[in-house]
Amino acid sequence: MTQPEIAKNLKAHRTNLSWSLTKTAAETGVSKAMLGQIERGESSPTIATLWKIATGFHLPLTAFIQAPSPNEFMHFKNGIRFKTLFAFDPILKTEMFAHYLEPHQSQLSAAHDNGVTEDIVVLTGEVEILAAGKWVYLQTGDALRFPADQPHGYRNPTSLPAIFHNIMHYPLLKTP
Amino acid sequence: MTQPEIAKNLKAHRTNLSWSLTKTAAETGVSKAMLGQIERGESSPTIATLWKIATGFHLPLTAFIQAPSPNEFMHFKNGIRFKTLFAFDPILKTEMFAHYLEPHQSQLSAAHDNGVTEDIVVLTGEVEILAAGKWVYLQTGDALRFPADQPHGYRNPTSLPAIFHNIMHYPLLKTP
DNA sequence: AATGCTTGTGCGTTATAACGTACGATGTTA
DNA sequence: TAACATCGTACGTTATAACGCACAAGCATT
């Protein structure tokens, strides 16, 4: 791991919410002078103050220490970034993707063929899944299985990017 | 998230390696006086020094800020930490796990039943998979499918923890 | 143009993180 | 028991994180 870039992360989260330094100082309890210095890289905050900042943003501490990292082999469809991990296999009748959701991004999907089941596992961030008519909230590490033969959808309610795996199961002898 | 307990984490990692404060100071470049104060909770380190400590231990920064008990629903078997994401489903004939490998940890697995296929997707770190008699190197984000009806294994060649998903496909009507 | 408001930065002070060294406690060897 | 080594902590000093306040630049309203 390389040295974390707190400066960029803090500025990204702050401008993402359109917060001023004064507003941020009020929310976090850290003086706006210090916030400015941290953003400019002139100061390396202590864990205590970084924790105050994180809780003020209602975000985990890790959101400020690790760099937002995209990945290789990325594809795009309807504005959704995804990556095919395993293409459809006619014997196993499954396929698997990694999906990347930008902050507040959402996507609806039409019903698939009868009997199709879909699995979701959230890798980073938080995701809401529309399954069986309800939006289900999933945190990092959570997993959800639901029938995909009806309209469903994905959305990222947070201001941080989210990544999830989804595995499609096609029990019938149909190609996706 | 609650306030991170750097003190316990640091002491845990240090005593785990049987390192003295002097040894730790030499490895990390942080004075042993400071290390002692951090362990006793008398000082809240800056991100810069915590990063020096983490790199000295060859661990990610997150190993010191998040509580030592990483996740819920964690199980142990043969010294391997894993988590069942989806239990075996007799209709889909699949099951899915998240595996956690410590630095330099390795595990060999006997052959499964005939026709069983296994999928690996690396989430964090780097992993080597013994498949079809060869060790295959996988980086973060890489995916590998291989027949599991022969001896296979997993190992983490790095000094950082690794996490991977694996999905078992049982095409025959056998329970795992 | 003048007034008020908000933005982010600069400055002086205070609190404390970080350092190097010294010390008492404990354990080991002669 | 004395000499030595190693452990973690206490002390005094220095570097810097964190604060409150003041200030200049930009924008909107009058």
Side-chain angles (χ1 to χ4, degrees):
Chain A
M1 182 188 266
T2 175
Q3 194 148 15
E5 302 181 11
I6 321 270
K8 293 182 182 175
N9 288 330
L10 173 56
K11 183 146 197 173
H13 288 128
R14 186 173 67 83
T15 57
N16 184 33
L17 295 177
S18 304
W19 279 8
S20 67
L21 286 181
T22 317
K23 165 76 170 174
T24 309
E27 291 290 333
T28 62
V30 177
S31 71
K32 72 172 181 177
M34 179 80 323
L35 292 168
Q37 289 187 30
I38 294 172
E39 276 192 1
R40 274 171 273 138
E42 299 173 10
S43 183
S44 179
T46 63
I47 291 291
T49 59
L50 190 62
W51 181 81
K52 286 163 70 177
I53 295 175
T55 52
F57 276 95
H58 301 285
L59 287 174
L61 241 173
T62 53
F64 292 88
I65 61 173
Q66 56 202 10
S69 63
N71 252 335
E72 317 298 324
F73 308 113
M74 198 68 70
H75 298 153
F76 293 86
K77 187 176 66 179
N78 305 332
I80 296 284
R81 274 167 49 225
F82 72 99
K83 178 172 151 184
T84 301
L85 297 173
F86 295 109
F88 177 76
D89 184 307
I91 297 177
L92 303 177
K93 301 183 186 59
T94 64
E95 58 184 346
M96 182 166 178
F97 308 97
H99 266 82
Y100 300 77
L101 284 182
E102 301 297 327
H104 304 296
Q105 189 177 17
S106 70
Q107 187 203 24
L108 293 181
S109 175
H112 294 177
D113 286 327
N114 215 346
V116 173
T117 300
E118 182 165 349
D119 294 340
I120 302 284
V121 183
V122 180
L123 305 188
T124 62
E126 305 157 52
V127 169
E128 286 178 345
I129 304 292
L130 174 61
K134 281 186 186 173
W135 284 98
V136 181
Y137 170 76
L138 299 181
Q139 282 180 307
T140 302
D142 286 348
L144 175 69
R145 169 167 290 169
F146 64 93
D149 53 5
Q150 47 189 280
H152 52 283
Y154 325 95
R155 73 180 178 202
N156 177 3
T158 76
S159 53
L160 287 176
I163 309 178
F164 63 91
H165 279 174
N166 64 336
I167 303 108
M168 309 294 301
H169 302 273
Y170 302 90
L172 305 180
L173 293 179
K174 304 204 63 166
T175 52
Chain B
M1 182 187 265
T2 174
Q3 193 148 15
E5 302 181 10
I6 321 270
K8 292 181 182 175
N9 288 329
L10 173 55
K11 182 145 198 174
H13 287 127
R14 186 172 68 85
T15 56
N16 185 33
L17 296 177
S18 303
W19 280 7
S20 66
L21 285 183
T22 316
K23 164 78 170 173
T24 309
E27 292 289 333
T28 61
V30 177
S31 72
K32 74 171 180 178
M34 180 82 315
L35 291 168
Q37 288 187 30
I38 294 172
E39 276 192 2
R40 274 171 273 137
E42 299 174 10
S43 182
S44 178
T46 64
I47 291 291
T49 58
L50 190 62
W51 181 83
K52 287 163 69 178
I53 295 174
T55 54
F57 276 95
H58 301 286
L59 287 175
L61 239 172
T62 52
F64 293 88
I65 60 174
Q66 54 201 11
S69 58
N71 252 337
E72 313 298 323
F73 310 113
M74 194 70 69
H75 299 152
F76 294 86
K77 188 176 63 180
N78 305 333
I80 295 283
R81 273 167 50 225
F82 71 98
K83 181 172 150 184
T84 301
L85 297 172
F86 295 108
F88 177 75
D89 184 307
I91 297 177
L92 303 177
K93 302 182 185 61
T94 64
E95 57 185 345
M96 183 167 178
F97 307 96
H99 267 82
Y100 300 76
L101 284 182
E102 301 298 326
H104 304 295
Q105 189 176 18
S106 70
Q107 187 203 23
L108 293 181
S109 176
H112 294 176
D113 286 328
N114 216 347
V116 173
T117 300
E118 182 164 349
D119 294 340
I120 303 284
V121 183
V122 180
L123 306 188
T124 62
E126 304 156 53
V127 169
E128 286 178 343
I129 304 292
L130 174 61
K134 282 185 183 175
W135 284 99
V136 180
Y137 170 76
L138 298 182
Q139 282 180 307
T140 302
D142 287 347
L144 174 69
R145 167 167 292 168
F146 63 93
D149 51 5
Q150 47 189 281
H152 53 282
Y154 325 94
R155 73 180 177 203
N156 177 4
T158 76
S159 53
L160 292 176
I163 308 176
F164 62 91
H165 278 173
N166 65 335
I167 303 109
M168 310 294 302
H169 303 273
Y170 302 90
L172 305 180
L173 292 179
K174 304 204 63 166
T175 50

